[in-house]
Amino acid sequence: MGFNIAKTDKKRVVIIGGGFGGLKLANKLKGSNFQVVLIDKNNFHQFPPLLYQVASSGLEPGSIIFPFRKIFQKQKDFYFRMAEVKAVIAERNLIETSIGELSYDYLVIASGTITNFFGNKTIEEKALPMKTIQEALELRNTLLSNFEKATISTDPEEKQALMNVVIVGGGATGVEVSGVLAEMKRFVMPKDYPDLKQSDMNIYLIEGSPRLLGVMSTEASENAEKFLKEMGVNIILNKRVTDYQ
Ligand SMILES: Cc1cc2nc3c(=O)[nH]c(=O)nc-3n(C[C@H](O)[C@H](O)[C@H](O)COP(=O)(O)OP(=O)(O)OC[C@H]3O[C@@H](n4cnc5c(N)ncnc54)[C@H](O)[C@@H]3O)c2cc1C
């Protein structure tokens, strides 16, 4: 295996990651005097702001992922390769990937971030994060399969456990997810799951700091708290989740 990209007189720019950053740069380099190689472990770009809609079945995955090959169909001296980058050997201007090595003149690392579990190993192993389309789908499948199990459960305690959702972290993602789940409880559940009692589904949003949306204005925090409470979300502030069983 290898990249199968010919060396030309042009300098080669290798971009790792076709997220917002990598995609923008690759687009900007259109018509430039560089050979551009975009590498991503997926062959599609994903749009994180709408992941919560996929997680709650409001949108299908195809609505928020876009194939790189389609985006760059007409770009000259451009190569997309689906591969996972494993290492950068800066002194040799070389990267190591799942499909082999590639040399570069300029390297741009736009590989994004990973979910921060704040050192909590159990939560890292057991919880469902939501940073990729795969994770959003896992969340969606878990929610829907729990509702199916709750429909046939005759044990009230088990039913409750299957329907309770705890969201840890009151940043933008936690606020979005709890809001959309509250909508699901209110509008989807009565129609799609008529055997389940709406009041059996409890949504908890737990935040370690004194307010939701800590990086935004206090007005935004107050509004988010007010609206979510009105939608029936149980908000717990100033409490950190320390473990999970
Ligand atoms: C749920 C959620 C909602 C969000 N909502 C908003 C919003 O409403 N507005 C807003 O402005 N921002 C929002 N953000 C933040 C925004 O998505 C990020 O700031 C942005 O995606 C960062 O861009 P990036 O290019 O740095 O990385 P990313 O977009 O994360 O892209 C990284 C890319 O690198 C690839 N990659 C990673 N490692 C490797 C590797 N080793 N080899 C090959 N490829 C690799 C990945 O597959 C991915 O395609 C949200 C984020 C999340 C998770």
Side-chain angles (χ1 to χ4, degrees), residues 16-22 39-42 48-49 51 83-85 110-113 130-131 173 176:
I16 306 172
F20 284 172
I39 304 173
D40 200 292
K41 52 189 173 188
N42 297 308
L51 283 176
E84 182 160 2
V85 177
S111 50
T113 54
M130 199 189 66
K131 236 177 167 42
T173 301
E176 273 174 353

Side-chain angles (χ1 to χ4, degrees), residues 1-242:
M1 253 191 312
F3 274 79
N4 194 22
I5 299 173
K7 260 276 190 203
T8 63
D9 292 341
K10 291 183 172 179
K11 297 259 189 209
R12 179 182 287 165
V13 178
V14 172
I15 305 170
I16 306 172
F20 284 172
L23 198 67
K24 180 93 179 168
L25 176 66
N27 262 317
K28 282 263 172 192
L29 290 175
K30 207 179 213 169
S32 69
N33 209 22
F34 294 107
Q35 180 187 66
V36 177
V37 183
L38 175 66
I39 304 173
D40 200 292
K41 52 189 173 188
N42 297 308
N43 60 358
F44 51 82
H45 167 78
Q46 36 194 322
F47 187 71
L50 287 175
L51 283 176
Y52 77 101
Q53 285 285 354
V54 171
S56 61
S57 317
L59 279 179
E60 290 310 315
S63 307
I64 69 158
I65 61 174
F66 310 94
F68 289 119
R69 293 191 178 281
K70 186 129 187 108
I71 301 171
F72 293 103
Q73 254 172 6
K74 295 197 179 115
Q75 195 149 328
K76 293 218 171 68
D77 291 318
F78 172 88
Y79 297 85
F80 170 76
R81 293 293 182 264
M82 188 170 80
E84 182 160 2
V85 177
K86 308 273 189 198
V88 176
I89 306 159
E91 53 283 5
R92 289 171 56 208
N93 276 21
L94 201 74
I95 55 166
E96 281 176 5
T97 80
S98 53
I99 60 166
E101 295 181 343
L102 183 71
S103 64
Y104 61 83
D105 293 296
Y106 298 98
L107 179 67
V108 178
I109 303 177
S111 50
T113 54
I114 53 167
T115 303
N116 188 354
F117 294 95
F118 293 90
N120 195 314
K121 285 283 159 214
T122 324
I123 294 181
E124 184 168 350
E125 273 169 34
K126 308 276 186 194
L128 299 167
M130 199 189 66
K131 236 177 167 42
T132 63
I133 195 86
Q134 292 88 346
E135 289 171 351
L137 283 170
E138 207 179 324
L139 192 52
R140 169 185 182 151
N141 291 341
T142 306
L143 283 167
L144 296 182
S145 95
N146 277 7
F147 290 163
E148 295 299 341
K149 287 182 198 153
T151 303
I152 52 170
S153 171
T154 48
D155 174 354
E157 212 170 293
E158 184 192 47
K159 207 185 246 300
Q160 182 94 83
L162 286 163
M163 292 171 69
N164 279 349
V165 184
V166 178
I167 298 140
V168 185
T173 301
V175 165
E176 273 174 353
V177 171
S178 33
V180 85
L181 288 180
E183 283 178 351
M184 210 173 168
K185 171 179 168 177
R186 206 143 127 205
F187 303 113
V188 179
M189 197 175 261
K191 288 191 208 142
D192 287 6
Y193 295 91
D195 306 317
L196 294 177
K197 274 216 310 266
Q198 243 176 307
S199 57
D200 277 348
M201 181 177 178
N202 294 301
I203 303 160
Y204 297 90
L205 176 60
I206 305 181
E207 164 57 39
S209 78
R211 63 182 179 107
L212 300 177
L213 301 178
V215 295
M216 298 186 194
S217 67
T218 47
E219 192 191 354
S221 301
E222 284 163 12
N223 281 336
E225 191 176 337
K226 177 173 166 274
F227 291 135
L228 288 180
K229 275 187 179 155
E230 281 169 11
M231 291 165 88
V233 176
N234 302 294
I235 299 171
I236 303 171
L237 298 173
N238 290 309
K239 291 274 184 295
R240 291 183 75 86
V241 173
T242 54

